[in-house]
């Protein structure tokens, strides 16, 4: 079981490392950071069904990190 967990984590690491980080991504992250952390804005997440459940999880995570 431990080996399977390690395999899953390794695949997640590889996926993160393979994410394209380009100028557009950086601009989007910078805009969101400024809007939320510098200007006191909010992140709004919505969805229905499964997407809504995932949205609740994302909102909970953001809330716990101060976003």
């Amino acid at each position: 079981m431990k080996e399977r967990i390690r395999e899953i984590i390794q695949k997640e690491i590889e996926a993160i490392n393979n994410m394209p980080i380009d100028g557009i991504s950086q601009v989007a992250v910078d805009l969101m950071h400024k809007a939320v952390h510098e200007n006191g804005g909010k992140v709004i997440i919505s969805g229905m069904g499964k997407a809504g459940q995932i949205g609740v999880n994302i909102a909970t995570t953001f809330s716990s990190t101060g976003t």
Side-chain angles (χ1 to χ4, degrees), residues 3-63:
E3 186 57 36
R4 179 68 181 136
I5 293 170
R6 282 190 179 95
E7 289 174 13
I8 292 170
I9 292 171
Q10 186 59 42
K11 286 182 182 181
E12 293 294 330
I13 291 169
E14 290 171 15
I16 291 169
N17 284 332
N18 289 327
M19 288 174 58
I21 305 297
D22 55 18
I24 300 299
S25 301
Q26 188 62 48
V27 170
V29 170
D30 289 343
L31 286 171
M32 288 186 283
H33 181 271
K34 183 175 182 179
V36 173
H37 294 289
E38 295 177 20
N39 296 338
K42 295 183 178 182
V43 175
I44 298 173
I45 300 172
S46 67
M48 292 175 37
K50 181 69 172 175
Q53 293 171 343
I54 293 168
V56 168
N57 292 341
I58 293 169
T60 302
T61 300
F62 280 170
S63 179

